Amino acid sequence: SLDRYKERQIDPAIAAMKSPDAGRAELRAYLSALAKVFRGDPALAMRGCLVINSVTELGGRDEAVRQAGIAYRQLVADAMANALRGAAKNDAERAGAPARARIMSATLIGALITAHFDPEGAARLCRQMADEI
């Protein structure tokens, strides 16, 4: 079910950030879309992401779920890094894109968890990340 969720929900959501010509606009659009979902449908936001829900519940006891969480984090970080490299103004920014993307993906995971109890706070966090790009 996690593989199916990835194919149907996650892959389409991050596809634009993975494109060869991705940049600031694609990364901002992704974060803005999440903020819009969190604000527009708080009940849905509070249900959360299947991968994050599974990892927080089972990741410490189920190796397959733990690996799915690691793969999710890497997938999102790689997509973000691709977009950050595209948005980079110089070689130093391009070189720093993977580290920045790891920080952003961890923040995103925090936002997805926050959405369970504070969808508006999660939306603000996504907007703030989008504004910082």
Side-chain angles (χ1 to χ4, degrees), residues 90-101:
N90 55 52
D91 289 341
E93 284 185 12
R94 274 186 286 287
R100 190 171 178 202

Side-chain angles (χ1 to χ4, degrees), residues 3-133:
D3 289 338
R4 192 172 318 115
Y5 182 81
K6 177 193 166 293
E7 291 169 7
R8 293 181 181 174
Q9 301 295 322
I10 297 167
D11 289 343
I14 66 171
M17 292 190 299
K18 292 175 69 175
S19 73
D21 59 339
R24 180 174 286 109
E26 289 75 18
L27 185 49
R28 288 183 62 126
Y30 172 72
L31 294 167
S32 296
L34 283 173
K36 185 176 179 178
V37 168
F38 294 156
R39 281 196 174 107
D41 194 344
L44 176 65
M46 292 175 82
R47 280 199 332 245
C49 167
L50 180 63
V51 175
I52 299 304
N53 293 348
S54 298
V55 170
T56 57
E57 179 67 26
L58 301 170
R61 300 186 305 270
D62 186 314
E63 183 62 19
V65 171
R66 188 176 83 78
Q67 290 301 319
I70 291 168
Y72 170 78
R73 181 184 61 195
Q74 191 63 52
L75 181 72
V76 172
D78 288 348
M80 289 177 159
N82 182 63
L84 288 168
R85 277 190 296 275
K89 296 175 184 159
N90 55 52
D91 289 341
E93 284 185 12
R94 274 186 286 287
R100 190 171 178 202
R102 285 190 299 274
I103 293 166
M104 291 181 71
S105 66
T107 304
L108 172 67
I109 290 169
L112 291 167
I113 293 169
T114 298
H116 281 279
F117 57 88
D118 182 10
E120 179 58 32
R124 277 194 312 274
L125 185 55
C126 288
R127 275 291 348 138
Q128 289 167 336
M129 281 197 295
D131 291 344
E132 289 295 319
I133 299 167

